[in-house]
Amino acid sequence: MPSQKITRPSHVDEVFTWNNFLDGRNRNRQKDRPHKKARLGLITNCFKILSALAICTAMMSIFAPASFAQGPTSQDVDRAQLLQGQTQPPFGPSVTPQGIEDGHAAASPNDADIGQQEILKRVTGYQPFTASLACPIFYTSNVALTRSGELSDVVIAPVAGVFYDPRITKTLYGHFGAREQIFYYGDNSAFDFGSLDVEAGLSYLLPQFHNLILRGGYDFNRLTSDDRLGDEFFSNHALIFNAELPFQFSRGQQLLVGVLTNISVGADHQSPRRNDYDGYLGYSVNLTRAFTINAVGRVVARDYHQNGRTDVSEILSATATYRLTNWWSVSAISSFAHNDSNQDVFDYNVANVGGAIALSAKF
């Protein structure tokens, strides 16, 4: 059979198999050696990156400026984690794998609220590196998350991140990343803060179980103070576990059901420290190849390590994203959160609405 020259579009990713590592002129003598070498090389690189991230995390913990003597209030940390969670997902801007169904990438509500990967009918080349810049700007109705006497403000929250998601096997992926986000308040600058995350983990796709995705990872989060963004006031080490089940109605519609657990294994202050147990339901629809609407409903139980405090939060969010190019998108973002606590002083409602611009490059 005569060979055919295949021209690949430069703007789409390539889904490849381990046979790409074989030399077509000498297949008989190679057997599984290239496969094993390729896997061994990827696994070795993953361990190297994980070790480097662990060293960086340890150095940040050792050399970070001293925290506030009186310690942060739980509302300071709750505010930071709530805002960060509504402008970026727990596993980076584009978690690998998204799932592959009928030869195209399946959508996910864990794609960033500030942008979502376009669903493609044809997927050609897997690209493990992602670099992203985004700038959400939104109005928030309750700056301090108080039960009464709410203050409203405008928040500008630029975020930058780099991520490496190596493909270890056909269905197993690594995840390594770092991201920094700074929140600037228009009229209440005393609330300004920065949030740094360093993360590492694995994602495993199970096509035989309706494309179930299992994720597990480690996250180091460092929050810096309002008056001097270089001063740390809280840091937390967490283990995150996630299971997500997609239901594809068509190439442009998808429903996801998921659970996520965030376990704090260490923190420099105990009062704000907590474990989160999250169940969510998400729906996404691609009205065109460039325009996507995404809605997510979450119920989160928050178990604090001190003072016997337990909260239950209901969070609704909706995003409309228009992708101008493969690397540039604009979004309208909105969310509403209601918090019920067994200690009434921590009850609150907060609504956020605004927009975002995002730049993202994969390579």
Side-chain angles (χ1 to χ4, degrees), residues 52-63:
L53 289 175
I55 293 172
C56 289
T57 301
M59 295 295 286
M60 285 186 291
S61 299
I62 293 171
F63 294 106

Side-chain angles (χ1 to χ4, degrees), residues 80-157:
Q81 294 177 344
L82 178 67
L83 288 181
Q84 185 179 10
Q86 294 186 47
T87 55
Q88 54 177 310
F91 285 91
S94 181
V95 182
T96 301
Q98 295 296 337
I100 296 173
E101 228 174 284
D102 299 327
H104 68 279
S108 164
N110 274 346
D111 289 343
D113 285 346
I114 55 178
Q116 184 172 5
Q117 180 182 359
E118 181 181 359
I119 296 178
L120 302 176
K121 294 182 180 179
R122 182 181 179 186
V123 183
T124 54
Y126 179 69
Q127 296 170 310
F129 290 95
T130 303
S132 63
L133 293 171
C135 188
I137 302 175
F138 55 93
Y139 164 88
T140 183
S141 65
N142 190 352
V143 171
L145 303 184
T146 56
R147 185 180 181 184
S148 60
E150 299 92 339
L151 293 174
S152 61
D153 208 341
V154 173
V155 182
I156 301 175

Side-chain angles (χ1 to χ4, degrees), residues 10-37:
S10 60
H11 63 282
V12 293
D13 297 341
E14 179 182 12
V15 173
F16 62 90
T17 66
W18 293 106
N19 289 334
N20 285 9
F21 292 98
L22 296 175
D23 184 351
R25 296 168 297 180
N26 190 21
R27 292 178 182 266
N28 293 334
R29 295 184 181 180
Q30 295 178 71
K31 297 183 179 179
D32 291 333
R33 290 180 60 192
H35 302 263
K36 294 178 180 178
K37 289 181 179 179

